[in-house]
Amino acid sequence: MDSSTKYSGYEELKAFVQKHKQPIFKNFVKENQRNLVLWSVNLSEYSARMPNGIWVERYKQVLMEVRGNAVCAKNIKFKELLWNDIMASVSRRRKLARTYIDEGVNALTQSSSSNSGAVPPTTTHTNNSSPIAPTTATTSSNHSYAEPQIETNEFLFSVAAKKLRNEVDSLETAQLQTYVTEGDTIRDKMTNHAIHLLSKKNLTLLETELVK
């Protein structure tokens, strides 16, 4: 992997190497055990030894980047119990995420089914029989479908990051409501559900996993 490629935990690993005169890998793992669970969730490897190898290689690359050598990376021993514990937590998080996604899909499906019998928009006519275009759903505060979806996504992503750090203020909470959509597509429903979660004062464990 190209050392210039950023990944979750890169900045923390680099800061660790820069901070310590002897940046021992096992100390980095111990200091960041909980973080490594989050950083390793998206790795395809499920066994403990493979993620350990990936992080050792990342450690060596950062050593070369910061110090120009990887002397500190000699004779690194695999700490099986430590990595087994990390990957057990990774597995639990993956299962929680899958459970929440399944529940979300079921909720969206039920919602779509309940709305399937809704009366479609009607077309009215003036005295001269010229049809008036049917009314369609729009979003509030001028966030219409014509505007780029990326604007909404970027805002929600930024609020989600702050939510996980408990840094969302009342102004941002109020601003979230301006992105609520009255549309009935799957994307609209997912956007509104995300806004609902981000607007809550406290999140359950499953809701926290979904925000992540």
Side-chain angles (χ1 to χ4, degrees):
M1 182 187 67
D2 185 352
S3 61
S4 65
T5 302
K6 301 299 185 293
Y7 45 82
S8 297
Y10 168 81
E11 294 297 339
E12 290 81 356
L13 178 55
K14 185 176 180 180
F16 174 83
V17 171
Q18 292 173 329
K19 176 181 177 181
H20 296 280
K21 185 176 181 180
Q22 292 293 328
I24 306 302
F25 178 70
K26 68 177 180 180
N27 293 339
F28 170 76
V29 175
K30 289 180 179 179
E31 289 180 15
N32 293 276
Q33 185 170 347
R34 293 183 64 182
N35 288 331
L36 280 164
V37 173
L38 299 177
W39 299 337
S40 302
V41 164
N42 293 327
L43 295 181
S44 59
E45 291 78 7
Y46 282 76
S47 67
R49 189 173 292 275
M50 291 299 291
N52 170 77
I54 290 174
W55 281 101
V56 167
E57 288 304 311
R58 290 174 172 177
Y59 168 67
K60 291 178 179 178
Q61 289 168 352
V62 172
L63 281 173
M64 292 298 299
E65 177 184 339
V66 174
R67 302 193 171 200
N69 66 76
V71 175
C72 296
K74 290 183 177 180
N75 302 319
I76 295 178
K77 295 182 179 180
F78 172 53
K79 301 294 182 181
E80 185 172 4
L81 292 178
L82 182 59
W83 278 98
N84 280 342
D85 187 46
I86 290 173
M87 294 311 295
S89 296
V90 168
S91 180
R92 286 194 295 271
R93 286 183 175 274
R94 285 170 171 162
K95 289 178 181 178
L96 280 173
R98 285 195 295 268
T99 298
Y100 204 98
I101 290 172
D102 289 343
E103 291 179 355
V105 171
N106 289 336
L108 289 173
T109 301
Q110 292 172 4
S111 177
S112 296
S113 297
S114 65
N115 291 329
S116 61
V119 178
T122 58
T123 300
T124 58
H125 296 269
T126 62
N127 291 334
N128 60 6
S129 299
S130 298
I132 298 176
T135 302
T136 56
T138 58
T139 59
S140 61
S141 189
N142 296 325
H143 291 289
S144 67
Y145 285 105
E147 294 179 326
Q149 181 68 24
I150 190 171
E151 176 191 349
T152 299
N153 291 343
E154 288 180 349
F155 177 70
L156 294 182
F157 288 152
S158 67
V159 175
K162 290 186 177 182
K163 185 70 173 180
L164 296 175
R165 300 193 300 266
N166 295 318
E167 296 177 356
V168 179
D169 57 35
S170 58
L171 180 62
E172 289 168 323
T173 300
Q175 189 176 358
L176 276 170
Q177 302 311 310
T178 70
Y179 286 85
V180 172
T181 173
E182 297 176 2
D184 197 38
T185 66
I186 295 296
R187 172 180 288 178
D188 293 326
K189 293 177 185 295
M190 294 183 70
T191 296
N192 289 344
H193 187 55
I195 291 171
H196 168 70
L197 291 180
L198 296 175
S199 299
K200 293 182 66 173
K201 184 175 182 180
N202 298 305
L203 298 176
T204 66
L205 179 60
L206 283 174
E207 290 170 341
T208 300
E209 290 300 321
L210 183 60
V211 171
K212 292 177 180 179

